[in-house]
Amino acid sequence: MADDDRITGLPESVLVLILSFLPVHDAIKTEILSKRWQFLWTYLPSLRFSQDHATNEGFVAFVDKTLPLFNCSKLEKFGVDFDYQSRFAPNVNSWVRFAAGKGVEELCLDFYSVAAGFVSHELPQVLYTNASFRSLDFSLCRVTPKGNVAWNSLKKLSIGYVKLSNGVMEKILAGSPVLEVLELYGYGGFNRLDLSNNASVKRLILREFWGRYGPDSEHGDPEEDDEDGEHHYDSEEEEEEDDGEHDDFEEEEEDDGEHNDSGEEEDDGEHDDSEEEEEDDGEHDDAGEEEDDGEHDDPEQDEVDDGEYDEERLEISAPYLQSLEISCCIPRNCQLRDISSLVDATLDCDGSDDNNERIQDTLRGLVESLVHVKRLSLGAQATKVLVAMEAKGLSSRLLKCECVHTFLNKPDQPGITSIFKSSSNLETLLTEMSSTTNAESALLYRDCQGRPDHLASIQGLLDETLANLHHLSAEHRPQGVQLNEMQVLLTEIQAGQQQQYETMEQFLSSQKQYCEKLEHFISEYTQRFGPPPPQ
Amino acid sequence: MASSIENNNEKLTLKSSDGEEFLVEKHVALQSTLLQNMLDSDCSSADVIPLPKIDARTLALVLGYCKKHADASSSKQGELNSFDSEFLKDMDMGALFNLVLAANFMEIKGLLDIAAQKIADTIKDKPHQEVREIFHVENDYTPEEEAAVREENRWAFEGFP
């Protein structure tokens, strides 16, 4: 069949679908192709506006101008990512109302704030009651429902870079009866996360706790956001200007705990007012000079709670949860209660600036809670804690896991071998090591099927890490351990380059490809230098 | 894959536009909403189901996709993602169009999306003339009309600085 027949045969629904995978302005440009294409883009069922390199004003004007042209009666997705500033609040609200009016199912407001602070957008109250939403993604949006929340179809909720409160979390959970995935990043302000009435929630992701150390930014958009002069404000000058700007918070409404911040301690005096501000809570926290910690414990009463609000405390009850990720900065006092259904867990606080010492205890508690899960992934710090526990003979209680993925900072961490010994269910152990040496070095051990009680061979390794890795070899393998597959992978992981993997499977599959490359490398190595020395 | 084996309850036979027959396990066929609806109604699985718009080469690809997705458990999402990207990797535009049409006809949402995404990625950032060639679009605007369209949505063409 001739190509022409085929292409003219592409139904408009398919063409529109293809357009929907383009950035909106690229989709619009296809109107120039021919008359048939002129209005195709106006039927796009999902709209994603990205600022890219546009100026704020240009972008906002573009969205304003374009939205009324869409004919689609039902919108599947609506997304905006741009450099938000508070003067755009009315525009954003009108976009969001437009989307909600079209019955949008996936709404994504992915704001960032280039200017200086974490300026956040107060979501309009109308959003809190909506039966169409299936997926919500808010970054830098303040979630402060005045009434109840009713998100009866909501499956996935993601909220980032804003503080919440116990009351808000309760409202959200009570109002989201079919929620499956809850993701919070740059979170804080609440100390209870009780999912025991949300049997549908299967996956919980907590990244980057904002406790007393929020982002160290001030009130946002210093340069531009000055409808009224006093907003003009930027981080360098925060101290002096600070008070000035307090008075413009008109509405009070909820002092969700971030006030603490507003803080330079010099101004404590004036903090009492903090109860009345509200508007910009999001960004307060940050004020971030370390000196203020001193006074942090303070003003934020958590309405619902027992008056004593410890912002470093977080208690998670989630009897139905199957998958949990806690990463980056974690609350100092973080406890897992009733996570009996959990099968998959990731605990990784390596990316944070947290002082190792300070979080040891927290990590230990978390690791202990997690050893029953089937698949466990631990960052370097958590691995270290696990190894230390192992060394103290706590092993019998440890690791019922079938699959463990760990990171090591140093290749010679002997404890890792004894973890095998105490892990009778272990089928897969994946170890990544970061190395400061320029290690193209790689090591791959592979167990042979059918010879489960010892490693069949060491396929090769590079000299500089050879010595360090001997302890992982055959003679250290305990009898009877059912390791069907053990891969020890030494890779160079530059700090910060560590990828985040959504699931263990994703990680494993990416590593498999890597392993194939390694095997090639190793066989060449063996040819040149012969097999590694016997143990 | 063509086969003349007797159908049993677990399999059904699909026939491509060029007459080739494919014996397909039922759980694989269920990836297609079209087939699912047919099976749910009274359509007997013993019948040969003709797919007059889909040639054998395309149908073989489609069924390969369906089989992979039907057999993988839900926990294998990562693996499926890498399968998906490999699956379309070196496919030419003609094959992609056939695939997207087949997926549309057979109502296989996942395949439809990845094929459409792939086509979108290909045309993104290409000049109009090239996009016209890819889609075999004849420019039926007069120069004046074209200028008018361009003017109308100028901000999209020039970016929005």
Side-chain angles (χ1 to χ4, degrees):
Chain A
M1 140 164 76
D3 277 358
D4 305 272
D5 298 338
R6 186 164 54 219
I7 278 91
T8 27
L10 277 190
E12 301 202 336
S13 64
V14 173
L15 292 176
V16 170
L17 179 69
I18 293 169
L19 294 185
S20 71
F21 287 104
L22 292 171
V24 174
H25 65 275
D26 284 332
I28 293 177
K29 283 197 275 186
T30 63
E31 68 180 354
I32 206 74
L33 297 178
S34 76
K35 287 178 180 169
R36 184 190 183 207
W37 286 71
Q38 186 173 5
F39 298 109
L40 275 182
W41 64 271
T42 64
Y43 294 95
L44 285 173
S46 60
L47 304 175
R48 175 88 199 193
F49 290 91
S50 300
Q51 181 172 9
D52 293 331
H53 302 297
T55 61
N56 294 324
E57 291 74 13
F59 175 77
V60 170
F62 170 70
V63 180
D64 279 345
K65 227 161 158 182
T66 311
L67 276 188
L69 303 176
F70 288 98
N71 288 318
C72 197
S73 55
K74 161 90 182 161
L75 208 50
E76 286 164 20
K77 302 180 193 172
F78 180 80
V80 184
D81 50 286
F82 86 119
D83 176 12
Y84 178 81
Q85 293 166 15
S86 49
R87 68 200 150 109
F88 298 129
N91 307 71
V92 170
N93 284 342
S94 81
W95 306 341
V96 169
R97 286 198 183 92
F98 167 86
K102 299 260 186 193
V104 73
E105 293 177 6
E106 294 182 27
L107 178 64
C108 173
L109 303 178
D110 188 6
F111 300 154
Y112 47 92
S113 189
V114 170
F118 282 65
V119 180
S120 55
H121 177 69
E122 178 72 40
L123 292 172
Q125 293 295 320
V126 63
L127 289 187
Y128 299 117
T129 307
N130 184 306
S132 303
F133 293 154
R134 296 170 57 84
S135 167
L136 291 173
D137 206 326
F138 298 131
S139 165
L140 282 183
C141 292
R142 289 198 301 285
V143 183
T144 50
K146 291 194 163 78
N148 287 334
V149 170
W151 288 333
N152 292 327
S153 310
L154 191 67
K155 302 260 190 193
K156 180 173 186 297
L157 175 63
S158 175
I159 301 176
Y161 302 124
V162 71
K163 290 216 177 178
L164 300 157
S165 70
N166 283 330
V168 167
M169 286 315 298
E170 279 161 18
K171 281 181 181 177
I172 288 173
L173 291 171
S176 308
V178 298
L179 189 67
E180 291 172 4
V181 180
L182 176 61
E183 176 185 49
L184 303 173
Y185 53 95
Y187 67 96
F190 58 95
N191 52 29
R192 230 181 12 240
L193 192 51
D194 183 357
L195 299 172
S196 48
N197 294 319
N198 293 72
S200 56
V201 178
K202 299 300 180 206
R203 179 157 166 74
L204 173 65
I205 301 156
L206 298 173
R207 282 192 193 114
E208 205 179 330
F209 173 70
W210 277 6
R212 65 189 69 195
Y213 308 105
D216 45 9
S217 53
E218 255 322 302
H219 265 42
D221 26 23
E223 309 307 337
E224 346 207 8
D225 171 28
D226 42 6
E227 318 98 296
D228 35 13
E230 39 306 42
H231 264 299
H232 201 87
Y233 184 65
D234 75 15
S235 34
E236 280 83 40
E237 339 178 50
E238 56 210 1
E239 328 263 330
E240 18 350 347
E241 303 212 4
D242 189 52
D243 318 354
E245 122 285 2
H246 272 304
D247 14 31
D248 40 324
F249 306 140
E250 313 80 344
E251 346 172 30
E252 69 132 318
E253 175 220 27
E254 94 132 7
D255 31 23
D256 14 353
E258 42 272 75
H259 295 314
N260 30 29
D261 42 29
S262 23
E264 295 74 47
E265 60 273 27
E266 308 83 300
D267 355 343
D268 293 345
E270 112 285 17
H271 267 303
D272 9 19
D273 57 30
S274 52
E275 264 76 36
E276 299 108 299
E277 55 196 64
E278 152 271 346
E279 205 195 305
D280 27 0
D281 3 346
E283 46 273 62
H284 274 316
D285 28 32
D286 34 44
E289 287 85 68
E290 324 55 355
E291 310 86 292
D292 6 346
D293 312 347
E295 114 275 18
H296 268 306
D297 3 5
D298 50 323
E300 63 274 348
Q301 305 307 358
D302 177 35
E303 336 82 304
V304 257
D305 218 39
D306 37 24
E308 257 189 68
Y309 181 81
D310 171 8
E311 65 182 320
E312 291 285 351
R313 183 160 66 88
L314 178 58
E315 244 181 68
I316 301 169
S317 304
Y320 305 101
L321 199 66
Q322 292 177 357
S323 171
L324 172 68
E325 173 185 327
I326 302 179
S327 57
C328 300
C329 193
I330 59 178
R332 201 68 58 228
N333 182 3
C334 179
Q335 295 173 22
L336 301 173
R337 306 212 183 286
D338 195 1
I339 44 166
S340 46
S341 306
L342 209 61
V343 290
D344 193 305
T346 297
L347 180 60
D348 181 355
C349 51
D350 297 350
S352 75
D353 302 329
D354 267 334
N355 177 314
N356 201 356
E357 307 292 301
R358 296 178 60 189
I359 54 170
Q360 290 279 318
D361 288 342
T362 314
L363 281 175
R364 189 172 309 121
L366 292 173
V367 169
E368 269 180 34
S369 312
L370 291 174
V371 290
H372 69 282
V373 305
K374 198 169 158 192
R375 292 182 293 269
L376 180 62
S377 179
L378 299 175
Q381 297 212 38
T383 302
K384 218 169 144 189
V385 166
L386 178 67
V387 167
M389 289 164 78
E390 179 62 39
K392 286 183 190 153
L394 299 168
S395 60
S396 57
R397 292 165 43 218
L398 293 182
L399 286 180
K400 315 256 180 319
C401 319
E402 290 174 17
C403 179
V404 177
H405 169 204
T406 58
F407 286 90
L408 298 181
N409 282 329
K410 285 187 253 153
D412 56 347
Q413 208 156 21
I416 200 78
T417 46
S418 58
I419 289 177
F420 304 158
K421 293 184 187 156
S422 58
S423 312
S424 54
N425 298 328
L426 198 63
E427 288 178 4
T428 305
L429 174 74
L430 202 60
T431 301
E432 276 191 60
M433 298 185 208
S434 59
S435 168
T436 49
T437 65
N438 187 15
E440 310 109 326
S441 5
L443 168 68
L444 177 70
Y445 289 95
R446 188 158 287 168
D447 198 355
C448 271
Q449 294 285 352
R451 298 180 63 188
D453 58 342
H454 80 293
L455 284 172
S457 61
I458 298 170
Q459 298 195 339
L461 63 174
L462 267 193
D463 38 9
E464 75 182 323
T465 46
L466 184 69
N468 288 331
L469 289 160
H470 275 173
H471 66 270
L472 284 179
S473 65
E475 62 184 290
H476 292 271
R477 280 296 306 285
Q479 292 287 321
V481 172
Q482 300 294 310
L483 277 179
N484 290 333
E485 183 185 13
M486 180 175 92
Q487 301 170 345
V488 179
L489 208 53
L490 177 67
T491 64
E492 183 183 32
I493 305 165
Q494 299 293 358
Q497 279 186 338
Q498 227 164 273
Q499 270 176 279
Q500 299 281 348
Y501 294 94
E502 292 219 339
T503 63
M504 184 70 76
E505 281 75 22
Q506 214 176 321
F507 179 83
L508 288 173
S509 100
S510 76
Q511 291 304 311
K512 278 214 174 86
Q513 296 169 10
Y514 186 56
C515 287
E516 282 161 19
K517 285 185 203 148
L518 282 180
E519 273 184 291
H520 176 70
F521 170 78
I522 284 164
S523 74
E524 290 203 341
Y525 178 88
T526 314
Q527 274 177 13
R528 280 177 61 194
F529 303 106
Q535 307 302 303
Chain B
M1 264 218 252
S3 169
S4 56
I5 306 169
E6 287 273 320
N7 287 322
N8 60 35
N9 287 338
E10 301 301 324
K11 305 207 168 172
L12 60 150
T13 306
L14 307 178
K15 188 174 178 181
S16 70
S17 61
D18 39 359
E20 202 169 321
E21 293 191 354
F22 293 76
L23 191 62
V24 183
E25 288 169 275
K26 196 173 166 183
H27 78 283
V28 173
L30 289 180
Q31 294 285 308
S32 155
T33 309
L34 175 78
L35 295 177
Q36 188 183 0
N37 291 341
M38 289 172 82
L39 291 172
D40 286 349
S41 61
D42 52 358
C43 176
S44 156
S45 60
D47 295 336
V48 172
I49 301 173
L51 297 168
K53 293 181 168 175
I54 305 175
D55 62 31
R57 182 169 163 250
T58 306
L59 188 53
L61 284 170
V62 170
L63 294 177
Y65 172 91
C66 291
K67 182 158 175 42
K68 183 74 188 176
H69 281 253
D71 290 345
S73 72
S74 57
S75 62
K76 292 281 193 291
Q77 195 52 50
E79 198 180 302
L80 282 182
N81 290 346
S82 46
F83 169 83
D84 284 356
S85 54
E86 280 299 306
F87 184 68
L88 300 175
K89 201 169 171 192
D90 298 317
M91 207 171 276
D92 65 55
M93 268 295 167
L96 262 181
F97 281 127
N98 277 330
L99 202 61
V100 86
L101 273 177
N104 188 51
F105 179 71
M106 293 176 72
E107 297 174 64
I108 306 167
K109 180 82 172 107
L111 180 59
L112 182 61
D113 279 350
I114 61 167
Q117 166 93 61
K118 175 83 179 176
I119 296 171
D121 292 346
T122 313
I123 63 172
K124 186 169 184 283
D125 299 328
K126 287 220 163 56
H128 297 129
Q129 199 45 50
E130 261 181 68
V131 178
R132 283 196 186 109
E133 280 163 23
I134 289 171
F135 283 99
H136 298 255
V137 175
E138 193 187 333
N139 180 7
D140 52 3
Y141 288 119
T142 64
E144 295 75 27
E145 284 169 335
E146 186 172 330
V149 170
R150 206 178 270 277
E151 179 59 26
E152 202 175 317
N153 285 334
R154 188 152 44 94
W155 73 89
F157 290 100
E158 293 172 3
F160 26 85

